[in-house]
Amino acid sequence: MPLPKPPAKRAAILSNADFESQAAPKPGRRTPPSRSIAEPAAPAVMDLFDGGTAATPVIARPAAAAPAKPARPVAPQRVPRTPRGSGPANLFVLDTNVLMHDPTSLFRFEEHDIYLPMITLEELDGHKKGMTEVARNARQVSRDLDALAAAMPQRDAAGMSEGLPLNATGHREAGGKLFFQTNLVNVHLPAGLPQGKADNQILGVVQALREQHPGRPVVLVSKDINMRIKARALGLPAEDYFNDKTLDDGDLLYTGVLPLPADFWERHGKTMESWQQGGFTYYRISGPLVPALLVNQFVYLEAPGAAPLYAKVHEITGKTAVLRTLREYTHAKNAVWGVTARNREQNFALNLLMDPECDFITLTGTAGTGKTLMTLAAGLSQVMDERRYTEIIVTRVTVPVGEDIGFLPGTEEEKMGPWMGALDDNLEVLSRSDGGAGEWGRAATNDLVRAKIKIKSLNFMRGRTFLNKFVIIDEAQNLTPKQMKTLITRAGPGTKIVCLGNLAQIDTPYLTEGSSGLTYAVDRFKGWPHSGHVTLARGERSRLADFASEVL
C-alpha cells in the first residue's frame, strides 16, 4: 500500500479564540447558537518565529467570529446540616471508662458537645503505661486530644474555653465541640459521698454544669453501672455508651436460618426452574421471598405429609435467587471424622464447615450444642484426609471465669494448655470413634493428630499471616470488635477462620451481647458470598446439660 503524499503547504496556526472554544466544556444537549449572544472575538496577534527564517514573523489569522462559550453549570449549594433535636445541643460529660473502652468515642456524638473533667485526664494518664488493650486505648485517646489541641487556632486559655471543633482532625461526622475543665468547681455533694474519689468528683462536675447551663441538657455517659446509679440517685441524668453496640437486642442477631412459609411452593413454584449438577439440585425462584434472602443463608420447609426441603441460598441476581440442596451429614456414610449431625442446625453447620468456598464461619449457641466438636472434626478431615489445609491453629481469649491462678510456667503451648480443656475433651471423643484400631492404634492416631494442631496465644497475633491454615477461635464472645478485626485480618491465601462462642457467657468487663466482637462479625459478614453463620439451638451434650441450660 503506497504512503500518502506529503503536505504541500505549511499548516495554519490556531488563534487563541479557536483554541479556547475547542477546549471549553460542551453542554449536554445541542442548542442552536444565537447570534445576539455570540460576540466577535478580538483579533489575536502572536509573534511566532519560524525555525528556518528567524527574521520573518508568522502572524496568526484572526478569527471572524468565535462561537459563544457555553455557560458553566452552577454547582448545587450544600444544604447546611440541621441538628436532630429542636433545642440546643446536648453536653455529654464522658467518664474515663468510656474513653478507655472505645478510643474513637470522642467523635461518635454527632452534633452534640463533649466535656472532659480534669480528673478524667488524670485517670487517662494513670492507665497509659503497659501493653494491655486498656493502655493502648488510653494512649490513642491522648494522641487524639493532642491533635485536637494542636489544630486550635488560638493556643491560649481563651481559645480552650470556647471549645475545640471535633471535626478539625478530619472526623466530619462530629459536628460538636470539645470542652475541658479549666476552672475549679466547688460543689457540695451529700455528706455520704467521699470528696476525694474520682467518680464523685465527676458527679460534682456534672452538677456544677447543670447549674451553669440551666437551659441545656447535661448528661453523664459512663460504662460503670454503679456510677450511673449514683448519678440518678442524685437527680443527675446518666446514660450508657451505646455507639459500641452493634444491636440493641441480642434477639435481633442474624441466625443464618430462615423457615420457609407453608405456601412456598404455591407462591414461588409457577416460574421456578430446577436442574441437577454435581450431585445437588438447584432451584431458581422469583417471588416476594427473594428480597429477604441472603447469600449462604439456610432455608428449610418441613410440612406434614410432604418431603422436607433443606437448601442454601447459592446466589442472588436481581429479583431471582438460586437455592441449592445440602449434603446430608446426618447419614453415617457422610460422617466427618466419625461425627454425624444430630439435628437440623448441626447439618447446616457441617455443610458450611466442609465448603471450600466459605472462608469465614461463625457458630453461636448454648453450651453443649456441638460447636467445638464439629469444627474440630471438620478441621481434621480437611487437614488429614483431603489435605486442603496444612494444620489446625486453635486460639482463645484467656479470660478466667473465677479467680486468676497466676502466671503459668512453660512455653507458649504449655501456658495455653489449661485454657484448652475443651480441645482435649473433644479430641478424646474423636479418638474413641475409631473402635477397630485398638489401644496402640488410637495412641498413634492421637499423636499424629496432636502434631497437626498448634495452640497459639492472642498476645502474639499482631503481624502474623496464616497460609493454608484452619484457624479456630474458641470463646470468641469475649473478644472486642478491635480484637476480632486483628484476628480476621491475619488470614492469608487458602485459610479458613471459624469463630465459636456463646453470647450468654461473656466474661470480659464492659462487653455485652450487643457490643461483643462476635456479634460485630456476624452482623458485618452476613450476605458475603464467602462467609456463613448458623445459630445452633438444640444441645446434644447430655440430658443433664440441656436441662441445666434451660432452668438455671
Side-chain angles (χ1 to χ4, degrees), residues 228-236:
R228 299 198 299 267
I229 293 175
K230 286 196 295 184
R232 289 162 185 163
L234 296 175
L236 304 176

Side-chain angles (χ1 to χ4, degrees), residues 240-502:
D240 191 6
Y241 178 67
F242 296 105
N243 275 318
D244 63 330
K245 295 185 178 180
T246 307
L247 297 173
D248 294 335
D249 191 356
D251 296 335
L252 302 177
L253 185 64
Y254 171 66
T255 61
V257 181
L258 178 67
L260 297 176
D263 58 347
F264 171 74
W265 296 116
E266 288 78 7
R267 302 181 65 180
H268 299 80
K270 295 180 181 180
T271 60
M272 185 182 64
E273 303 175 9
S274 64
W275 67 94
Q276 290 186 354
Q277 182 181 352
F280 298 99
T281 303
Y282 293 82
Y283 300 95
R284 187 185 303 275
I285 63 171
S286 60
L289 189 63
V290 174
L293 298 178
L294 295 172
V295 180
N296 285 340
Q297 186 179 20
F298 292 94
V299 295
Y300 68 93
L301 177 60
E302 296 175 345
L309 171 67
Y310 302 105
K312 183 179 72 170
V313 180
H314 185 65
E315 65 178 25
I316 298 177
T317 307
K319 297 182 179 180
T320 62
V322 177
L323 306 181
R324 192 190 73 178
T325 57
L326 306 177
R327 189 180 301 277
E328 198 63 39
Y329 285 103
T330 57
H331 200 278
K333 67 177 182 180
N334 294 327
V336 180
W337 203 260
V339 175
T340 58
R342 293 188 178 183
N343 54 53
R344 181 179 58 230
E345 285 76 18
Q346 285 188 355
N347 187 29
F348 295 161
L350 284 175
N351 273 274
L352 280 180
L353 292 169
M354 299 301 293
D355 188 358
E357 294 297 325
C358 284
D359 300 334
F360 181 73
I361 299 171
T362 51
L363 299 179
T364 60
T366 58
T369 51
K371 302 182 297 293
T372 308
L373 181 64
M374 289 189 302
T375 305
L376 195 56
L380 290 174
S381 176
Q382 296 175 85
V383 169
M384 307 290 290
D385 296 341
E386 302 178 12
R387 307 282 179 165
R388 189 176 296 161
Y389 308 102
T390 57
E391 62 181 1
I392 300 175
I393 295 180
V394 185
T395 184
R396 61 163 291 175
V397 187
T398 55
V399 179
V401 178
E403 284 291 329
D404 197 352
I405 61 175
F407 291 100
L408 300 173
T411 61
E412 179 186 359
E413 292 203 7
E414 292 174 350
K415 289 176 182 293
M416 292 293 296
W419 301 99
M420 290 299 170
L423 176 66
D424 298 333
D425 298 340
N426 288 281
L427 282 179
E428 184 179 356
V429 174
L430 294 175
S431 62
R432 286 181 180 179
S433 61
D434 190 6
E439 190 67 27
W440 289 97
R442 283 197 297 269
T445 303
N446 196 13
D447 293 340
L448 184 61
V449 166
R450 289 281 184 177
K452 290 292 184 180
I453 299 178
K454 296 295 191 307
I455 301 174
K456 300 297 180 182
S457 174
L458 286 176
N459 300 331
F460 311 106
M461 288 294 181
R462 184 76 71 182
R464 296 200 59 182
T465 301
F466 297 128
L467 301 176
N468 297 321
K469 301 292 193 297
F470 191 93
V471 183
I472 302 175
I473 304 176
D474 201 7
E475 303 296 335
Q477 76 275 2
N478 290 321
L479 289 170
T480 63
K482 187 176 180 181
Q483 291 173 335
M484 181 66 75
K485 179 181 178 180
T486 302
L487 287 177
I488 298 175
T489 52
R490 301 303 101 206
T495 294
K496 175 178 286 192
I497 295 182
V498 184
C499 295
L500 314 175
N502 181 11

Side-chain angles (χ1 to χ4, degrees), residues 17-34 37-39 66-74:
D18 294 334
F19 183 77
E20 290 180 359
S21 64
Q22 291 185 4
K26 297 186 174 11
R29 297 181 179 179
R30 289 189 175 181
T31 56
S34 176
I37 299 178
E39 297 180 358
K69 298 181 182 180
R72 294 184 179 179
V74 181

